Amino acid sequence: MPQRYENATIMLLDFVDFTEMAISREPGELVAELNDIYSAFDRIVEMFGCERIKTMGDAYMAVSGLPEASPDHAADMARVALRIRRYLDRRNAAHTQTWTCRIGIATGPVIGSIVGIQKYVYDIFGPGVNMAARMECLSEPMRITMSPATHELIGDDFVVEERGTFTVKGFGENELFYLEGERERTTIRRENRM
C-alpha cells in the first residue's frame, strides 16, 4: 500500500560528463566500472541503515527514514554522501578513468509505493524527492549541496559552508549549503552508541 512519510532525507547523485563517457568508451568496460561503483555505494548506504531506491543510468537515488522512521535520517544520509565522495576521491587517485559526480541532499515528505503491473518496483515521490533533484542540479562537481531543511536537522555535528540564496524551481528562494565534513565529536558519540 502507498504510504506517506513526513520526514525522509533523499540523496540524488549524478555523474558529470557521463554521456561523453558512454559514447567514447567500450560499453562492457564502462558498465563493469559503473557496476563496481554502484556496488560500493550500496555497501555505504547499507552501513548507515539507508536504502537505495534506484539507479537511472548514471544517476543514483537513496533515502533515509523509511520504511522505518529514524530520528537520525538526515545525519545518516549526510554520512553516506560524505563517504561516497571520499570513496570516489580514492578510486580516482588509483585509476586512470576519473568519475566526478554532483550530489544533492534534501529532507521532506515523500510517498513510497510499489508501482508497475508486470515489472514491480518500489519508488518514492513527492516534495522531498523534487527538492533533492534540484539540489543535485544546483551542485558543483564533487560537492554536496543541501537543502535548508537538511541543514537544520544536522545541526552542529557537520562542517557546512553557506552557498547563498538561490531560486529553486518549485520552491522559491532558499538558502543552500555545501556539506564539507563530519565533526569529530559526532564520530565519537556514534561509536559509543554501538
Side-chain angles (χ1 to χ4, degrees):
M1 292 293 292
Q3 188 169 345
R4 182 181 176 89
Y5 300 90
E6 292 301 328
N7 283 302
T9 300
I10 303 95
M11 178 190 76
L12 274 172
L13 176 151
D14 192 63
F15 286 106
V16 178
D17 297 329
F18 183 80
T19 303
E20 288 76 16
M21 288 171 63
I23 292 168
S24 64
R25 297 191 51 205
E26 195 276 316
E29 175 189 317
L30 180 70
V31 171
E33 277 191 60
L34 194 58
N35 185 55
D36 286 346
I37 291 168
Y38 282 167
S39 296
F41 289 1
D42 287 347
R43 288 190 295 274
I44 294 167
V45 164
E46 289 172 15
M47 186 186 319
F48 291 95
C50 303
E51 297 282 334
R52 176 186 23 125
I53 296 299
K54 61 184 170 182
T55 59
M56 303 156 284
D58 65 319
Y60 185 97
M61 178 194 286
V63 66
S64 181
L66 64 92
E68 299 298 323
S70 167
D72 297 325
H73 59 89
D76 287 339
M77 190 54 75
R79 291 181 184 102
V80 165
L82 289 167
R83 279 160 181 80
I84 282 176
R85 184 175 66 183
R86 185 167 55 207
Y87 162 79
L88 284 176
D89 282 338
R90 289 178 178 169
R91 188 183 193 288
N92 288 340
H95 291 76
T96 54
Q97 178 64 53
T98 59
W99 292 76
T100 305
C101 70
R102 284 185 298 270
I103 301 175
I105 302 176
T107 301
V110 298
I111 294 171
S113 180
I114 293 175
V115 292
I117 296 172
Q118 293 187 359
K119 292 188 177 183
Y120 299 105
V121 64
Y122 185 82
D123 208 348
I124 57 174
F125 316 89
V129 176
N130 293 343
M131 180 61 109
R134 305 290 189 266
M135 295 302 96
E136 182 273 315
C137 287
L138 290 168
S139 200
E140 297 291 330
M142 297 306 278
R143 302 300 299 264
I144 303 164
T145 298
M146 287 189 307
S147 70
T150 307
H151 174 258
E152 211 172 289
L153 288 172
I154 64 172
D156 298 326
D157 292 337
F158 292 84
V159 178
V160 173
E161 176 187 327
E162 293 181 9
R163 285 198 65 190
T165 302
F166 289 76
T167 301
V168 180
K169 183 180 174 185
F171 296 93
E173 297 285 310
N174 282 266
E175 186 175 2
L176 305 187
F177 304 87
Y178 278 136
L179 175 62
E180 297 294 340
E182 188 173 4
R183 295 194 192 281
E184 188 64 31
R185 63 185 172 172
T186 304
T187 306
I188 293 168
R189 189 166 55 234
R190 185 172 184 83
E191 286 171 0
N192 289 338
R193 280 198 318 233
M194 293 179 176

